[in-house]
Amino acid sequence: MNLQHLKPSQEHDAPIYLQLYRRYREAIAAGKLLPGDRVPSVRSLASELSLARGTVEMAYQMLANEGYFVARGAAGTVVSPKLGNLAGPGHAKAPASTVHASPHSQTADSEVLPFRLGLPALDAFPRKAWARLAGRNLRTLETIAMTYPDPAGFAPLRRAIATYLGLSRGIVCSHEQVFVTAGYRGALELVRHALLQAGDLGWYEDPGYIFARQFLQRAGMRLEPVPVDEEGLNVGIGQQRAAHARFAVVTPTHQSPMGVALSLPRRLELLDWANRRRAWIIEDDYDSEFRYHGRPLPALKSLDRDGRVLYTGTFSKVLFPGLRLAYLVVPASQIGTFRDAVDHLPGPGSILTQSMVADFMEQGHFGRHLRRMRTLYAARRGYLVDALGQAMGERLHVQPQAGGIHVLAHLDTAQNDKTLAATAEAKGLAIQALGNWRMRKSSQGGLLMGFANFATADQAMASVRRLKTVLARC
Ligand SMILES: Cc1ncc(COP(=O)(O)O)c(C=O)c1O
């Protein structure tokens, strides 16, 4: 680790020893320092960073008192070997073939790496409008925003979401059916508490969204991989393999990561299965707003006559993921069950941000932002697709997708996509391997790449050239 990254700033309000202490904690949490790693001696760090020895000593003492550091006498000071799982799986220095480019992982000095998946265009977010809303909400800070939040979500936001879904996604629901959650995983957590039990079996798209899969598996769910073809989830195979499953998780509008839409016959077949078997369908409608050919498809939920679909949407793509806000729409018959479950969960957090999002939606900023983003993403997608075609057309075949904010490029030859992606990632390119998103082995490799943050064609081309150089060495 570069010691200069630990250097405290003179302008910072916090005392120098405290800044140093925090930098060390961040480095450990981000996996930059691992359990057992030796840290520099007080004397050498003080001299390297031009700090007083007493200042460094104070920081080291705090870190030792809290169990981060262990003094080993003549062998020096090390990061405590007992901190084995402090850095999450997304942070540990993992072997090359594991997935560690989590769209959710943050490092202390995080920047947007080229191709980073799942991020919207952060440079295009309407910060001025957002800052105005923030200012207004803070100035007027209503009493309601200072009390304990309703874990089901702030009522005006629940209403705004219900209205938006009616207009935009063909979903007719009341605001009582809408539960605001801490991201998509918050929605899954709520479904698990309300309707599922550890050991329950569910269908999972193969390939499918890796982070929700890992989340469900860790929550004790058993997942049956169900293949995805050009019509989306193969419901027939699901029924052959596990007709008795309790639930199915699907991305019908824009399958993650293949990009296909679930065809109408498959939608009806899926709903019919769920109705006959009293199974639940979890519809993940994560990026339906971004479609570049034809009209956005209505949600599967809009066809749900029997109340079997639990619909989830997120603000991570349409606003930004740092908000940690998503939502779940439950069938009217299940409001009581979910109300009961949510009262024992932490809920989505601060009322202030929820109130800002509600205002953003109600005052028309949301609709305007979405319209702008559709045009912008169509252009940015073009930058990446063109650059890939020009620079790497012989090695990668971009699969045409009607929407979304990532592209999937198939490999021309039977190369190991996991090795390619891990090599690219080690060089600062946040590519993901399709193979890691699969549950069953397949010979068809591919690379997943986000394009939303390529602001110009030149930027996209520069990153693609870097990728080409990296892959040429594999
Ligand atoms: C398939 C899929 N579903 C859901 C989400 C949203 O997750 P969250 O709300 O936790 O940001 C994402 C984000 O990348 C996604 O790719």
Side-chain angles (χ1 to χ4, degrees):
M1 180 183 164
N2 181 349
L3 293 184
Q4 289 304 320
H5 287 156
L6 295 167
K7 196 173 173 71
S9 145
Q10 296 295 343
E11 277 95 61
H12 208 285
D13 283 345
I16 302 284
Y17 76 92
L18 205 55
Q19 291 185 49
L20 185 57
Y21 155 86
R22 287 187 188 144
R23 299 252 151 105
Y24 263 119
R25 282 188 50 164
E26 283 163 8
I28 294 169
K32 290 180 180 163
L33 276 175
L34 295 178
D37 276 359
R38 194 168 164 174
V39 296
S41 69
V42 169
R43 190 149 48 103
S44 67
L45 188 66
S47 124
E48 173 85 23
L49 301 182
S50 312
L51 298 174
R53 255 201 244 176
T55 305
V56 178
E57 241 159 35
M58 242 151 76
Y60 273 38
Q61 196 57 55
M62 279 175 75
L63 289 157
N65 289 347
E66 292 181 18
Y68 286 94
F69 283 2
V70 184
R72 289 256 163 96
T77 298
V78 297
V79 176
S80 170
K82 292 191 185 143
L83 294 181
N85 50 12
L86 189 66
H91 290 135
K93 279 182 193 161
S97 65
T98 60
V99 182
H100 41 124
S102 159
H104 309 291
S105 69
Q106 281 294 327
T107 54
D109 53 356
S110 70
E111 49 173 319
V112 178
L113 297 178
F115 304 111
R116 176 100 181 242
L117 224 57
L119 274 190
L122 300 181
D123 60 325
F125 185 71
R127 282 167 182 264
K128 275 195 189 147
W130 187 252
R132 268 199 306 277
L133 289 181
R136 223 212 57 211
N137 269 277
L138 284 168
R139 275 193 304 279
T140 55
L141 192 65
E142 293 176 28
T143 321
I144 181 77
M146 298 171 75
T147 60
Y148 281 97
D150 180 350
F154 186 50
L157 179 57
R158 298 172 78 190
R159 282 198 197 92
I161 293 169
T163 308
Y164 155 73
L165 291 175
L167 294 173
S168 213
R169 307 296 300 127
I171 296 173
V172 181
C173 65
S174 71
H175 76 279
E176 283 99 349
Q177 289 172 259
V178 178
F179 290 77
V180 183
T181 60
Y184 176 46
R185 283 181 277 188
L188 291 175
E189 178 77 345
L190 179 53
V191 172
R192 186 177 74 84
H193 277 268
L195 300 175
L196 304 176
Q197 285 175 2
D200 276 355
L201 180 68
W203 296 0
Y204 204 82
E205 293 171 332
D206 188 19
Y209 182 43
I210 183 171
F211 301 105
R213 163 161 54 97
Q214 291 171 341
F215 180 84
L216 288 167
Q217 285 172 331
R218 279 173 179 244
M221 302 296 127
R222 289 180 300 128
L223 299 180
E224 177 65 44
V226 178
V228 169
D229 57 27
E230 59 290 346
E231 282 190 67
L233 180 92
N234 193 321
V235 181
I237 296 187
Q239 298 197 69
Q240 280 162 25
R241 287 192 188 157
H244 59 291
R246 288 272 299 136
F247 66 97
V249 185
V250 277
T251 46
T253 310
H254 184 237
Q255 203 275 333
S256 170
M258 303 304 282
V260 292
L262 188 65
S263 69
L264 186 58
R266 293 264 177 95
R267 286 174 188 234
L268 298 175
E269 208 183 340
L270 182 64
L271 289 166
D272 177 59
W273 164 76
N275 190 30
R276 276 187 292 107
R277 294 286 182 156
R278 314 308 293 157
W280 299 107
I281 300 170
I282 300 173
E283 173 175 18
D284 174 12
D285 203 25
Y286 64 107
D287 73 356
S288 55
E289 285 293 351
F290 305 126
R291 202 177 161 83
Y292 314 110
H293 312 298
R295 285 163 47 78
L297 299 173
L300 174 67
K301 176 78 188 159
S302 67
L303 299 171
D304 178 28
R305 306 276 163 264
D306 303 298
R308 304 312 305 172
V309 178
L310 306 155
Y311 173 90
T312 68
T314 177
F315 287 106
S316 291
K317 316 288 161 213
V318 286
L319 296 181
F320 56 93
L323 275 174
R324 290 294 71 221
L325 286 179
Y327 45 90
L328 171 72
V329 179
V330 308
S333 59
Q334 300 300 319
I335 294 176
T337 309
F338 275 83
R339 181 74 254 184
D340 196 41
V342 86
D343 283 341
H344 300 282
L345 289 170
S350 164
I351 295 178
L352 203 60
T353 37
Q354 294 184 64
S355 166
M356 284 166 62
V357 175
D359 286 353
F360 195 81
M361 295 177 90
E362 279 161 9
Q363 295 176 16
H365 301 291
F366 190 57
R368 266 194 300 283
H369 179 54
L370 289 179
R371 282 193 293 280
R372 277 188 55 226
M373 289 305 99
R374 273 183 215 118
T375 317
L376 186 84
Y377 289 149
R380 291 188 175 185
R381 193 170 80 130
Y383 301 154
L384 178 60
V385 173
D386 290 350
L388 287 170
Q390 280 172 39
M392 303 189 66
E394 73 295 346
R395 268 193 101 171
L396 296 177
H397 296 285
V398 177
Q399 173 171 307
Q401 296 199 8
I405 53 174
H406 74 265
V407 299
L408 166 60
H410 288 296
L411 296 167
D412 195 33
T413 51
Q415 289 185 68
N416 185 336
D417 56 0
K418 294 184 192 178
T419 311
L420 294 185
T423 313
E425 204 204 328
K427 297 286 177 201
L429 301 172
I431 300 274
Q432 294 217 16
L434 179 61
N436 281 324
W437 292 49
R438 291 189 191 280
M439 297 171 79
R440 293 194 174 189
K441 278 219 163 82
S442 159
S443 56
Q444 195 193 33
L447 300 177
L448 299 166
M449 309 173 205
F451 57 74
N453 286 286
F454 286 129
T456 61
D458 288 348
Q459 265 185 24
M461 184 51 100
S463 296
V464 167
R465 289 216 177 96
R466 275 177 69 191
L467 177 66
K468 186 175 182 179
T469 314
V470 171
L471 298 195
R473 293 203 198 112
C474 282

